[in-house]
Amino acid sequence: NAGVTQTPKFRILKIGQSMTLQCTQDMNHNYMYWYRQDPGMGLKLIYYSVGAGITDKGEVPNGYNVSRSTTEDFPLRLELAAPSQTSVYFCASKDRGYNEQFFGPGTRLTVL
Amino acid sequence: DQQVKQNSPSLSVQEGRISILNCDYTNSMFDYFLWYKKYPAEGPTFLISISSIKDKNEDGRFTVFLNKSAKHLSLHIVPSQPGDSAVYFCAASREASGAQKLVFGQGTRLTINP
């Protein structure tokens, strides 16, 4: 099992550009999450999903969109990139009935 | 409003000694607490957890203590090993096995010196 994979690993965007961060898990987990980690800070929840077709906002959803058309994939969309979105983005997944979230390696995004 | 706080940004401990990492929380609705370990350029990995109905959970060299009245938890690592050098995050949730929307502390960088 590859676990949780994220692409790209690094990306530099210009202000106003858009992009999609990809996240895939091969563990057939129901729950998936997107977090961001700013320098010197903890992770903050952006969006989460409890299953295909169901998504909900986390603590810091502004400026982002998500979709969950399959169990495996949970892409995060930035429509109009802003410098405040410079961060490391982590995707995670969790199985129903279990207590541990499994994290991907992260995507480092810089908006200039 | 920081609901989960780790007030020590860094901690340095000699190999073989005990490492104690602390975490405080403010939301009394939190019911489940976790510790994650993070190496550079990797995602966090789960270390140990504790439910609010317990005051201690042990897994090998790692023990988590929970003091609900003080809204405080701590992670003890005994004995500390060089491979334990990493950033440790405390996290809290209002539920254990459901959607589990985690709230993280800022992290403590632990360095184990030989």
Side-chain angles (χ1 to χ4, degrees):
Chain A
N1 284 351
V4 179
T5 57
Q6 293 183 238
T7 56
K9 286 189 181 350
F10 306 94
R11 183 74 186 266
I12 297 176
L13 282 182
K14 294 183 180 178
I15 294 172
Q17 286 185 320
S18 62
M19 77 164 292
T20 299
L21 282 68
Q22 301 291 346
C23 175
T24 300
Q25 54 94 7
D26 62 358
M27 298 174 283
N28 201 33
H29 286 174
N30 300 95
Y31 300 105
M32 294 189 75
Y33 308 83
W34 275 106
Y35 295 89
R36 60 177 285 174
Q37 185 192 9
D38 299 332
M41 303 295 289
L43 285 71
K44 291 186 184 297
L45 182 64
I46 305 171
Y47 270 96
Y48 68 99
S49 169
V50 301
I54 306 170
T55 64
D56 205 350
K57 296 177 181 179
E59 187 181 352
V60 289
N62 291 344
Y64 307 94
N65 280 301
V66 293
S67 60
R68 182 106 181 262
S69 56
T70 67
T71 299
E72 295 78 20
D73 300 305
F74 190 39
L76 178 72
R77 178 84 177 162
L78 283 71
E79 290 294 349
L80 290 171
S84 60
Q85 294 177 306
T86 293
S87 191
V88 181
Y89 291 83
F90 292 101
C91 179
S93 72
K94 187 179 80 71
D95 201 3
R96 189 191 306 275
Y98 289 84
N99 305 338
E100 175 186 350
Q101 291 186 26
F102 293 84
F103 284 81
T107 293
R108 183 176 295 275
L109 176 66
T110 302
V111 182
L112 301 174
Chain B
D1 178 28
Q2 190 79 21
Q3 297 185 69
V4 178
K5 294 183 183 179
Q6 295 175 255
N7 292 317
S8 298
S10 62
L11 177 66
S12 186
V13 174
Q14 195 167 1
E15 182 179 358
R17 305 294 291 268
I18 184 172
S19 296
I20 300 176
L21 294 90
N22 294 304
C23 177
D24 298 295
Y25 63 96
T26 57
N27 190 340
S28 57
M29 299 298 290
F30 288 143
D31 199 42
Y32 195 69
F33 304 88
L34 309 90
W35 285 93
Y36 278 83
K37 176 180 179 179
K38 186 182 180 305
Y39 292 119
E42 295 184 9
T45 55
F46 171 77
L47 194 56
I48 193 169
S49 62
I50 188 167
S51 165
S52 63
I53 62 173
K54 295 186 175 182
D55 55 17
K56 177 182 174 181
N57 188 28
E58 195 170 353
D59 184 1
R61 296 186 298 115
F62 303 92
T63 303
V64 56
F65 295 92
L66 175 62
N67 182 333
K68 280 192 69 176
S69 60
K71 294 191 177 68
H72 177 83
L73 63 155
S74 61
L75 173 68
H76 293 210
I77 306 173
V78 183
S80 300
Q81 299 175 353
D84 297 330
S85 294
V87 177
Y88 289 78
F89 290 99
C90 168
S93 172
R94 293 177 65 168
E95 55 187 323
S97 58
Q100 197 192 69
K101 292 173 282 183
L102 294 178
V103 179
F104 282 83
Q106 308 97 305
T108 296
R109 182 178 302 277
L110 175 65
T111 302
I112 306 301
N113 301 307

